[in-house]
């Protein structure tokens, strides 16, 4: 299925229609049981949506960031961040492979991911590095025919179900003068001795496990190296702007779902012989939510325009960060106000707003926390001294 930027409304409608087959009750059950949403992932792949942003020559739809952002916003409305995690990760990994992998790797892996036959995870974050990726300690030592990897990754989403991992590891010691050099990117198979995967107990988004992944003398063949040795950080960095746009779109989807739920509940809930939506104390927060979400949507749209035009990468980076910040803050405030609007019933699982509230909170932290976004704007846009 090929996608055209002019078909955005059709894309939105088609994805929304598919998502009706997976109502909030489906996602509630998956979250409660900690079960991967296999049925949704399969249906999404079979519909051609999973490979929407992958190049057409490798079995994808050839859509740009606008297509991906539109799809993810609708998926978020359907099942919050849990649903998005089954779509977002394949999109990001396929985009990375399409840009930096060899022709043989592209032909081998992208169609499998796009068709839902391969699940892949993303291994960058480490317990002692966090946001400072240059401090990762996972090492890949060159040996005959490949590399031996030792180290640990954390918050590795989907590792339990994944067949492979897009893994960032140091292939040379950290140079304080060239901190971003010496890291390499691998697309390694989990079907290899020397890897232990342990799920992390979480307060939310439990249908997609987040894991600690420990590598002990884990062998990665030469053929699984992506691009050039030592250039892994640059490869990861290249996808950050698009990822921020995707995350912002997901946040908007969550916020718009919560606002719609709140408005409907405010119209229907009768207290003191009148709908609670008649009270300004209920109306005003919802009105502010609407305006905040609309403002964030405009910022995200501007980021998409800048990114797709490719004219000014710095401006695209600025807008992507602004969009991520505004959308995640607006989404969390909207879900928090949805909790307040629903009162005591917000804690009842059958109303679902609590799950959206928890998952929206995560978006202010990941994939980059909003304090780091503020640092970026202060340093790179306002030209203030670096603070860290």
């Amino acid at each position: 299925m090929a996608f055209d930027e002019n078909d955005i409304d059709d894309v939105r409608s088609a994805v929304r229609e598919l998502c009706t087959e997976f109502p909030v009750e489906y996602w509630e059950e998956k979250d409660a049981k900690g079960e991967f949403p296999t049925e949704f992932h399969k249906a999404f792949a079979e519909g051609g949506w999973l490979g929407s942003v992958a190049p057409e020559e490798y079995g994808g739809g050839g859509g740009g960031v606008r297509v991906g952002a539109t799809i993810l916003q609708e998926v978020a409305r359907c099942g919050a961040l849990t649903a998005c995690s089954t779509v977002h990760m394949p999109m990001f990994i396929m985009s990375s492979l399409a840009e930096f992998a060899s022709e043989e790797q592209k032909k081998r892996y992208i169609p499998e991911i796009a068709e839902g036959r391969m699940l892949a995870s993303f291994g960058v974050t480490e317990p002692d590095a966090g946001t400072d990726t240059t401090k990762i300690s996972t090492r890949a030592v060159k040996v005959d025919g490949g590399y031996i990897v030792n180290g640990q990754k954390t918050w590795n989403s989907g590792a339990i179900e994944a067949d492979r991992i897009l893994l960032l590891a140091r292939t040379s010691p950290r140079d304080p003068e060239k901190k971003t050099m010496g890291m390499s990117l691998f697309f390694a198979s989990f079907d290899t001795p020397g890897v232990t995967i342990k799920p992390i107990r979480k307060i939310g988004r439990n249908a997609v496990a987040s894991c600690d992944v420990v590598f002990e003398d884990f062998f990665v063949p030469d053929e699984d190296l992506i691009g050039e040795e030592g250039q892994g950080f640059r490869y990861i960095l290249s996808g950050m702007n698009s990822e921020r746009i995707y995350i912002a779109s997901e946040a908007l989807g969550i916020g718009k779902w919560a606002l719609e739920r709140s408005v409907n509940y405010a119209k229907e809930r009768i207290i003191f012989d009148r709908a609670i939506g008649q009270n300004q104390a209920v109306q005003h927060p919802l009105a502010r939510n609407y305006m905040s979400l609309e403002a964030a949507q405009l910022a995200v749209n501007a980021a998409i325009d800048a990114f797709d035009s490719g004219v000014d990468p710095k401006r695209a980076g600025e807008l992507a960060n602004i969009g991520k910040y505004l959308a995640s803050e607006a989404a969390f405030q909207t879900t928090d106000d949805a909790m307040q609007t629903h009162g005591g019933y917000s804690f009842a699982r059958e109303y679902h707003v609590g799950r959206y509230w928890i998952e929206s909170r995560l978006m202010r932290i990941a994939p980059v926390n909003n304090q780091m976004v503020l640092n970026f704007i202060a340093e790179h846009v306002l030209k203030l001294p670096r603070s860290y």
Side-chain angles (χ1 to χ4, degrees), residues 73-333:
Q73 185 169 141
E74 290 306 317
V75 171
R77 293 180 76 133
C78 159
L81 194 56
T82 293
C84 290
S85 295
T86 67
V87 180
H88 173 121
M89 195 60 65
M91 282 185 176
F92 183 78
I93 289 174
M94 282 187 288
S95 296
S96 296
L97 293 176
E99 188 170 359
F100 301 111
S102 68
E103 189 65 21
E104 181 181 353
Q105 289 169 329
K106 293 174 186 179
K107 290 179 178 178
R108 180 180 177 185
Y109 297 126
I110 294 178
E112 287 196 39
I113 299 172
E115 294 168 12
R117 293 184 285 115
M118 175 184 287
L119 288 169
S121 63
F122 187 53
V124 172
T125 304
E126 297 189 3
D128 297 323
T131 304
D132 190 356
T133 303
T134 67
K135 292 283 185 68
I136 65 169
S137 57
T138 296
R139 291 293 309 276
V141 178
K142 189 71 181 74
V143 295
D144 186 31
Y147 299 80
I148 296 295
V149 177
N150 284 280
Q152 179 180 353
K153 298 295 179 179
T154 192
W155 297 112
N156 192 178
S157 295
I160 288 289
E161 294 81 18
D163 302 292
R164 286 184 173 266
I165 178 173
L166 193 62
L167 174 66
L168 186 68
R170 279 212 162 274
T171 43
S172 61
R174 184 176 185 269
D175 182 347
E177 300 300 319
K178 299 178 180 179
K179 295 184 292 185
T180 63
M181 301 301 291
M183 289 176 277
S184 300
L185 195 62
F186 303 89
F187 196 48
S189 173
F190 272 141
D191 188 20
T192 303
V195 59
T196 303
I197 302 172
K198 182 180 179 181
I200 299 169
R201 293 185 64 193
K202 300 182 295 183
I203 64 171
R205 207 200 66 158
N206 290 308
V208 178
S210 299
C211 307
D212 284 322
V213 182
V214 178
F215 301 98
E216 296 177 291
D217 295 333
F218 178 80
F219 180 72
V220 181
D222 286 330
E223 64 192 48
D224 288 345
L225 173 67
I226 300 298
E228 297 179 37
E229 184 179 296
Q231 297 297 314
F233 185 84
R234 179 171 66 85
Y235 298 159
I236 295 297
L237 195 65
S238 72
M240 286 186 176
N241 288 337
S242 60
E243 187 179 34
R244 280 158 174 66
I245 293 172
Y246 287 156
I247 288 293
S249 298
E250 294 168 21
L252 287 170
I254 289 175
K256 290 178 180 181
W257 178 91
L259 179 60
E260 182 179 354
R261 279 280 171 141
S262 295
V263 169
N264 290 338
Y265 186 80
K267 291 176 180 177
E268 297 167 359
R269 178 64 169 162
I270 305 299
I271 298 292
F272 297 119
D273 300 321
R274 56 193 273 164
I276 63 172
Q278 191 173 344
N279 302 318
Q280 289 182 347
V282 174
Q283 290 181 355
H284 287 182
L286 302 186
R288 283 194 295 269
N289 295 154
Y290 175 79
M291 290 188 289
S292 295
L293 291 169
E294 285 294 297
Q297 182 71 72
L298 291 173
V300 172
N301 290 346
I304 292 171
D305 289 341
F307 186 90
D308 281 346
S309 71
V311 174
D312 186 350
K314 288 186 178 181
R315 178 61 173 165
E318 174 187 337
L319 290 171
N321 276 281
I322 291 172
K324 190 274 178 185
Y325 182 92
L326 293 179
S328 60
E329 293 291 335
F332 178 70
Q333 187 60 61

Side-chain angles (χ1 to χ4, degrees), residues 29 32 42 70 99 257 339:
E29 181 180 3
K42 180 180 179 181
T70 300
E99 188 170 359
W257 178 91
M339 295 285 284

